[in-house]
Amino acid sequence: MRVIPPVVFFIFCMTPAFLIAQHVKMLQRGTATSIRGLSVVNDKIIWATGTNGTVGRSADSGNTWKWMRVKGFEKTDFRAIEAFDAATAIIMGIGEPAYILKTNDGGKSWKVVFEDRRKGMFLDAMAFWNEQSGIVIGDPLDEKLFIARTFDGGDTWQGLPGQNYPVAQQGEALFAASGTNIRPLSKQEACFVTGGTVSRLFIRNKMIALPLVQGKATTGANSIAVYNNRKQKPAKHMVVVGGDFEADTVAAQNCAISQDGGNTWKAPEIPPQGYRSCVEFITKKRLVTCGTTGVDISEDGGMRWKLISNEGFHVCRKAKNGKMIFLAGKDGRIAKLVW
């Protein structure tokens, strides 16, 4: 009888656990709500928003949820949310009209803090640097992308001076796919990505072409992730995902990586397996991305991706103060990433 060396035996015994360690665990599904807004405050407190004026909140790591419909906004599609604790959250309704609402009592009451009824007004994403400073971005109006800022925790919002709005090319817009096509780049700066006929990265007055599929209204960048190690000012490592959501199984030109603050980009060696609407850094090298055809992870900064689930999701977010990663999508899907 052959004796198996202890080290080999240990590796053999551990292999099955490793293979099943990385997976998506479904927490909830089966409602008519499509969820695109997700904010994970910490490993316990999670907020989510979606269609039909729906807002959800969990205080136990997503195991149970309190769902509500914002009174007077039952037909509004809330596609982005920023939550700061169990009581305070800001939600973005896309348009027409476009709204931003805030609660300070866990969703019992909501206050309209921004409203724009102009024809064509459509908000796409929202991001915050801290509990006071935030930014919201929207599709072009009169060929200029809309941007508004808050400096008082979302209580009031101000648009940029007219001459400071970025100019969009014909057919260029943003996707309200996961609320993550705009991200903080440093303590004062933000960056965002566009799609459509062209796909570009915007950093203040600098516009950089992205090597993603483009040329149609359904193509281009959907999400950008920025790794901030708090030493680089601004951050240098970026990953962009997107593709064509009308051809969501096609993996060509759906991801790009930059190591120099967006100045140059390269394609991954093994891309995510299809159109992806959201990407998120977990650690310096580990990322997760999701879309309508599945969930992929990378362990090398975005150069090689591995499909871990065929379940479709719109958004994936890591806890701002914690380690857990949650996902959400259509049919009321809420899940967590298990390692």
Side-chain angles (χ1 to χ4, degrees):
M1 178 178 177
R2 182 180 179 185
V3 178
I4 301 175
V7 174
V8 175
F9 180 76
F10 174 77
I11 294 174
F12 175 79
C13 292
M14 289 300 294
T15 298
F18 174 77
L19 291 176
I20 66 172
Q22 301 167 347
H23 67 280
V24 173
K25 180 180 180 180
M26 193 69 65
L27 300 175
Q28 150 174 325
R29 69 189 310 163
T31 69
T33 302
S34 178
I35 303 170
R36 293 185 184 269
L38 193 61
S39 185
V40 186
V41 178
N42 54 43
D43 288 344
K44 294 291 185 181
I45 301 171
I46 314 151
W47 289 73
T49 56
T51 52
N52 304 315
T54 304
V55 180
R57 178 170 55 90
S58 175
D60 61 359
S61 303
N63 293 306
T64 62
W65 288 79
K66 178 181 180 181
W67 292 97
M68 60 200 87
R69 296 182 72 184
V70 182
K71 187 176 181 180
F73 295 87
E74 291 84 359
K75 295 183 179 181
T76 302
D77 190 352
F78 292 114
R79 294 202 185 183
I81 180 170
E82 186 77 26
F84 303 110
D85 51 45
T88 311
I90 299 167
I91 57 178
M92 183 200 80
I94 50 175
E96 302 169 347
Y99 291 106
I100 301 176
L101 283 70
K102 182 177 181 179
T103 183
N104 291 305
D105 57 12
K108 295 177 183 178
S109 63
W110 295 87
K111 178 183 178 181
V112 176
V113 293
F114 173 88
E115 178 180 351
D116 195 317
R117 293 182 171 272
R118 284 180 291 174
K119 183 174 177 58
M121 186 66 185
F122 193 99
L123 298 179
D124 294 280
M126 181 172 59
F128 274 73
W129 286 266
N130 50 54
E131 292 190 13
Q132 295 300 311
S133 299
I135 188 170
V136 67
I137 190 165
D139 279 348
L141 287 171
D142 298 324
E143 301 180 350
K144 293 183 178 181
L145 297 167
F146 178 79
I147 297 176
R149 292 287 311 273
T150 181
F151 300 95
D152 57 8
D155 290 330
T156 60
W157 295 79
Q158 300 84 36
L160 299 181
Q163 68 273 16
N164 291 346
Y165 287 111
V167 177
Q169 293 188 19
Q170 182 68 35
E172 182 180 21
L174 300 107
F175 293 110
S178 62
T180 58
N181 52 20
I182 186 167
R183 298 276 194 163
L185 186 59
S186 65
K187 290 184 178 180
Q188 296 84 24
E189 194 70 79
C191 62
F192 64 89
V193 291
T194 62
T197 54
V198 297
S199 187
R200 297 189 289 174
L201 167 71
F202 286 68
I203 303 176
R204 199 175 285 273
N205 296 323
K206 184 166 60 175
M207 287 81 74
I208 301 166
L210 293 170
L212 268 64
V213 61
Q214 49 201 281
K216 302 193 307 180
T218 57
T219 58
N222 277 235
S223 175
I224 181 170
V226 177
Y227 181 74
N228 188 350
N229 61 10
R230 301 182 182 180
K231 293 181 180 180
Q232 297 173 337
K233 298 180 181 180
K236 298 296 185 181
H237 190 182
M238 302 174 175
V239 177
V240 170
V241 298
D244 184 348
F245 62 77
E246 282 192 339
D248 61 359
T249 61
V250 177
Q253 294 180 282
N254 66 344
C255 180
I257 303 104
S258 175
Q259 297 285 0
D260 59 5
N263 290 303
T264 60
W265 294 85
K266 57 185 176 182
E269 294 178 13
I270 302 174
Q273 293 190 33
Y275 156 80
R276 295 295 179 254
S277 55
C278 190
V279 61
E280 186 86 328
F281 273 99
I282 301 172
T283 65
K284 183 178 181 179
K285 292 293 186 180
R286 179 178 290 175
L287 295 101
V288 58
T289 186
C290 66
T292 49
T293 60
V295 180
D296 309 83
I297 60 169
S298 172
E299 299 281 4
D300 58 5
M303 287 304 297
R304 300 174 187 85
W305 294 88
K306 178 179 69 173
L307 184 73
I308 62 168
S309 173
N310 290 310
E311 193 81 56
F313 293 93
H314 295 314
V315 57
C316 51
R317 300 304 300 266
K318 179 181 180 294
K320 291 185 283 187
N321 298 294
K323 297 182 178 180
M324 295 189 70
I325 300 97
F326 292 88
L327 307 96
K330 69 175 185 179
D331 300 326
R333 294 175 190 169
I334 301 280
K336 67 179 179 181
L337 193 60
V338 178
W339 297 87

